[in-house]
Amino acid sequence: MEAKKVVSPNSTQAHPSWFSHCWSSARRTKPLIFSSDTVFGGASDNGLIRRLGLFDLLLLGVGASIGAGIFVVTGTVARDTGPGVTISFVVAGFSCILNALCYAELASRFPAVVGGAYLYTYSAFNEITAFLVFGQLMLDYHIGAASIARSLAGYVVTVLELFPVFKDHIPRWIGHGGQEFLGGTVSINVLAPILLALLTVVLCWGVGESSIVNSFMTVTKVVIVIIVIFAGSFKVDVSNWSPFAPMGVKAILTGATVVFFAYVGFDAVANSAEESKRPQRDLPLGIIGSLIICIVLYIGVCLVITGMVPYHFLGEDAPLAEAFKSKGLKYVSILISVGAVAGLTTSLLVGLYVQSRLYLGIGRDGLLPSIFAKVHPTRHTPVHSQIWVGIVASILAGLFNVHMLSHILSVGSLTGYSVVSACVVTLRWKDKTSSRVSSRWISAFAEGVICILIVAFCGFGAGLFYRYGASFIFLIIAVVIAVLAVAAIYMRQGYTDPPGFSCPGVPFVPVLSIFFNMFLFAQVCFSHPRMHQACLCLYNVCVPCCWPLGVQKNCFRLFVF
């Protein structure tokens, strides 16, 4: 009779234990303990090779951040802000420095392996949160790579048409936007996948070779930007800077929310941890240094363009090139086209590089098939991950008009930055090192996380109030609630000093970063009336790309399938 009490694996009574196992797996964290051999050693058959020095990391960050936008965004925002656009870039740059300080601490704290924001989240929170962060990053980078590839194809065609033999002889389906079918649902572009394939081959060849290409192209575009600033400075009329803020302070702050995304890309340095020669020293310097270089270049371009031409005369499509043409400097406009090609090439190259390293990290953790964790034994590059990234980006760039989707990528960037800032705070808590079965630890950790969420919601609410011109009292209330939450985080938690670089002012700097990120999040979400249509299109495009990947742990089948 006792034997009849054995529960069949298919019975409903087995489900609670199965779900409990999945939930237990989803909540576990990844402890990271590295020896000096791991951090400073050479490459093994299954590892990447450490060939990137500080100069390479600086160029990696600058290459990811500065694209063709420096020749367009500066002028288009200046039309609505006036010379005060310079202050907009300073404010946005300061906000990015807050995020960069958080990335710098975590890059120094976990210098031995790839993973970036995914890795930090896995250690600070849990497996399911880390997987969701990876999913968000994956969508960002896939759509971003496809969008940049299409823009690069357009600029390449523009440069080719400077020669009379190509003028008006290149059809749209090759590179100029694409040939649309089915009412614009399908948009054929042949050149974009070709460019993606070439860069994928370079990245598969080796990190040294790809670093040389990135360094050459980045130095080229930086030199061109410096030439543009130098040549334009002789045509500056200081009277064009008066009044400096014709639209008022609010226009400057609104401009800061727009130009913030011109700096996005410095986080790519953190994903090169396993290929950096001296990661604990060079990664923080590379992250912060590349951002400072970008800030200086953007400010220089802003001062030149607003000094050369009155802000209300700036064009919409190519404001910087048109400004130089109006001053008789046509050769500079040609340099700008070359600089735009170099800028987009490096942005695309670094974007593809970062994606493959993210797939490598999550493949090693067993959350994707093991093929993504393989590294070529002689090239020391994740060839399988890199080829997969190139294929997905090529399909999207060759068949779909992804520019509409690119508008919502900034939402993912802000989410990722906020999570990284939260990781800095939680990893500093002393209770993180105590027993995980202690009810005191659970309550303390949960209390801290709730306070961080309150700050995030207050930042989002403040952004909404600012966006719709609500009474100033609502902004004050949101700020006061956020301050009280920060005070609770500071007074109710103990903090430890991390190894390596330390973000100053913890928890205040990371929490301020979260508040401002969510403030911008609200601006971006409600600046596009058809945001829900873009999200639906994103789902329809990306789910078929994610389906072949599979998930190796049962808990994630609940969320992915």
Side-chain angles (χ1 to χ4, degrees):
M1 297 295 293
E2 292 296 328
K4 296 181 179 179
K5 295 182 180 179
V6 176
V7 179
S8 171
N10 296 324
S11 67
T12 57
Q13 297 182 26
H15 286 276
S17 61
W18 177 82
F19 180 79
S20 176
H21 173 72
C22 291
W23 184 241
S24 170
S25 298
R27 294 178 60 193
R28 62 188 169 200
T29 61
K30 181 177 182 178
L32 296 174
I33 302 175
F34 306 122
S35 64
S36 58
D37 294 337
T38 306
V39 177
F40 299 106
S44 63
D45 290 342
N46 295 321
L48 305 177
I49 188 170
R50 297 190 178 277
R51 295 187 58 178
L52 301 180
L54 177 59
F55 185 69
D56 299 310
L57 295 176
L58 287 171
L59 293 180
L60 188 70
V62 174
S65 300
I66 293 186
I70 193 170
F71 305 115
V72 180
V73 174
T74 49
T76 54
V77 178
R79 291 182 74 253
D80 301 323
T81 308
V85 67
T86 306
I87 307 300
S88 297
F89 272 96
V90 172
V91 173
F94 173 77
S95 174
C96 283
I97 285 178
L98 298 179
N99 290 290
L101 290 172
C102 297
Y103 264 98
E105 175 174 319
L106 296 179
S108 177
R109 189 164 186 165
F110 305 128
V113 291
V114 295
Y118 156 77
L119 174 69
Y120 309 148
T121 308
Y122 204 162
S123 179
F125 293 102
N126 50 48
E127 190 174 273
I128 184 63
T129 306
F131 187 83
L132 294 175
V133 168
F134 165 77
Q136 168 256 307
L137 291 174
M138 180 183 66
L139 295 179
D140 274 13
Y141 280 118
H142 280 325
I143 303 298
S147 179
I148 294 173
R150 285 213 161 201
S151 298
L152 177 58
Y155 272 100
V156 169
V157 171
T158 300
V159 172
L160 290 176
E161 288 183 340
L162 294 175
F163 302 95
V165 66
F166 294 110
K167 185 67 175 178
D168 298 327
H169 289 87
I170 301 178
R172 287 185 58 84
W173 56 267
I174 289 183
H176 259 318
Q179 186 68 41
E180 295 185 352
F181 298 95
L182 301 177
T185 303
V186 176
S187 178
I188 304 299
N189 188 308
V190 175
L191 185 56
I194 294 175
L195 296 173
L196 284 165
L198 292 175
L199 294 179
T200 299
V201 170
V202 172
L203 289 166
C204 289
W205 192 256
V207 66
E209 290 75 9
S210 59
S211 177
I212 291 173
V213 173
N214 177 70
S215 298
F216 174 77
M217 300 297 284
T218 302
V219 169
T220 298
K221 71 177 177 184
V222 169
V223 169
I224 290 176
V225 171
I226 293 174
I227 292 175
V228 167
I229 295 173
F230 182 77
S233 63
F234 291 97
K235 301 293 183 178
V236 167
D237 182 359
V238 294
S239 64
N240 290 329
W241 291 336
S242 180
F244 195 74
M247 305 299 178
V249 176
K250 186 174 182 178
I252 292 177
L253 294 178
T254 302
T257 65
V258 176
V259 303
F260 173 88
F261 304 103
Y263 294 112
V264 170
F266 60 86
D267 53 304
V269 180
N271 289 279
S272 62
E274 196 170 331
E275 293 162 292
S276 173
K277 293 179 180 178
R278 296 179 177 270
Q280 286 191 303
R281 185 201 70 172
D282 291 349
L283 289 178
L285 292 176
I287 293 171
I288 299 174
S290 61
L291 181 57
I292 292 175
I293 292 173
C294 294
I295 292 174
V296 172
L297 293 178
Y298 274 118
I299 291 175
V301 172
C302 287
L303 290 174
V304 165
I305 193 173
T306 55
M308 289 177 60
V309 181
Y311 70 93
H312 47 272
F313 289 149
L314 292 172
E316 294 184 3
D317 297 327
L320 195 62
E322 292 177 8
F324 277 96
K325 284 182 180 179
S326 67
K327 297 296 182 179
L329 301 175
K330 293 184 178 180
Y331 74 94
V332 177
S333 62
I334 296 176
L335 283 178
I336 290 173
S337 297
V338 175
V341 171
L344 288 171
T345 301
T346 56
S347 296
L348 185 56
L349 183 72
V350 176
L352 296 173
Y353 165 85
V354 171
Q355 289 179 72
S356 66
R357 272 55 182 179
L358 285 171
Y359 275 107
L360 175 64
I362 198 169
R364 285 173 172 174
D365 293 334
L367 304 184
L368 287 179
S370 59
I371 190 172
F372 291 101
K374 293 183 179 180
V375 176
H376 196 278
T378 56
R379 296 295 176 189
H380 297 289
T381 57
V383 175
H384 299 91
S385 297
Q386 197 70 71
I387 292 175
W388 168 259
V389 167
I391 290 173
V392 173
S394 296
I395 293 174
L396 294 176
L399 298 179
F400 301 99
N401 185 0
V402 293
H403 284 295
M404 181 180 70
L405 296 179
S406 65
H407 290 301
I408 66 175
L409 297 183
S410 50
V411 172
S413 299
L414 290 170
T415 304
Y417 287 171
S418 299
V419 171
V420 168
S421 299
C423 289
V424 172
V425 179
T426 57
L427 287 172
R428 288 279 201 102
W429 290 341
K430 289 181 179 179
D431 285 331
K432 286 289 290 183
T433 59
S434 65
S435 172
R436 294 188 178 275
V437 300
S438 168
S439 59
R440 179 184 177 277
W441 178 86
I442 294 175
S443 61
F445 183 78
E447 178 184 323
V449 171
I450 290 172
C451 289
I452 292 175
L453 290 175
I454 290 174
V455 172
F457 282 118
C458 287
F460 185 81
L464 284 181
F465 298 145
Y466 178 81
R467 172 72 183 171
Y468 291 104
S471 174
F472 191 69
I473 189 64
F474 291 106
L475 287 173
I476 296 296
I477 293 174
V479 171
V480 169
I481 295 175
V483 169
L484 293 176
V486 175
I489 296 174
Y490 177 72
M491 298 175 65
R492 302 273 301 173
Q493 302 287 343
Y495 293 87
T496 59
D497 294 325
F501 178 84
S502 176
C503 175
V506 174
F508 303 106
V509 169
V511 171
L512 179 61
S513 174
I514 294 172
F515 184 90
F516 194 78
N517 289 339
M518 298 310 295
F519 181 90
L520 294 178
F521 186 96
Q523 304 293 306
V524 174
C525 282
F526 293 91
S527 62
H528 302 288
R530 300 175 66 183
M531 189 72 173
H532 62 283
Q533 296 182 11
C535 292
L536 180 61
C537 183
L538 178 66
Y539 174 82
N540 292 332
V541 169
C542 295
V543 165
C545 299
C546 301
W547 187 269
L549 295 181
V551 181
Q552 290 189 331
K553 294 190 177 180
N554 289 334
C555 58
F556 290 112
R557 291 196 179 98
L558 295 173
F559 297 94
V560 178
F561 302 112

